[in-house]
Amino acid sequence: MTRKLLLPLLIGAVALAAGPAQARERLSPEAQLARMLEGRVAGEPVDCINLRNVRGSSVIRDTAIVYDAGSVLYVNRPRAGAEQLDDWSAQVSRPFGNRLCSIDPVQLIDLTSGVFRGTVFLDEFVPYRRVRD
């Protein structure tokens, strides 16, 4: 195929791919968190979580950090610094031992530049477990 014919095809393909994504509304942070917690019920908040059980974490922009411990999701709504949470920051924490606690600060580092972005001060961790039928 010649270059003249290929360029309009590529532009058309990009436009088609972008169309549905732009048409979809982006969920608010609270709606994203609610979707993540669907079918789960909140338990009593805890001060610390065992990092050996944590498989990963998700950031809900400007709102919370969700720690996945298998059957339990722990939601932490920071007491300060939540407005700095976004998809472009890496979390760096230096817990004492193998537990992450509400007194531990979490530093945020920009993923693209490696520059320090700020500190998030955690609060209690609220466990969410699946509802059994």
Side-chain angles (χ1 to χ4, degrees):
M1 220 180 256
T2 67
R3 197 175 237 172
K4 274 186 172 177
L5 292 174
L6 188 56
L7 186 58
L9 288 174
L10 287 174
I11 292 171
V14 169
L16 284 174
Q22 290 173 346
R24 264 187 284 153
E25 280 187 41
R26 184 173 182 166
L27 294 175
S28 71
E30 290 296 336
Q32 288 175 345
L33 184 58
R35 179 177 280 177
M36 187 178 284
L37 299 174
E38 265 179 27
R40 295 177 180 269
V41 64
E44 288 296 317
V46 296
D47 284 325
C48 299
I49 58 173
N50 189 334
L51 289 174
R52 284 185 272 186
N53 297 334
V54 175
R55 298 178 186 178
S57 63
S58 301
V59 171
I60 306 297
R61 181 178 35 88
D62 300 329
T63 306
I65 304 171
V66 180
Y67 296 91
D68 181 354
S71 62
V72 181
L73 295 179
Y74 289 96
V75 176
N76 192 294
R77 291 179 181 264
R79 56 188 153 85
E83 67 281 353
Q84 299 174 74
L85 294 172
D86 62 23
D87 295 336
W88 300 104
S89 296
Q91 303 168 47
V92 179
S93 58
R94 293 180 180 92
F96 184 75
N98 61 356
R99 296 173 2 141
L100 184 63
C101 296
S102 59
I103 62 169
D104 295 326
V106 175
Q107 295 180 336
L108 301 174
I109 307 296
D110 185 275
L111 284 172
T112 56
S113 67
V115 174
F116 174 77
R117 296 208 43 213
T119 302
V120 172
F121 295 93
L122 299 176
D123 203 347
E124 292 180 312
F125 298 85
V126 179
Y128 284 83
R129 291 177 172 77
R130 291 210 179 274
V131 177
R132 295 184 185 187
D133 293 330

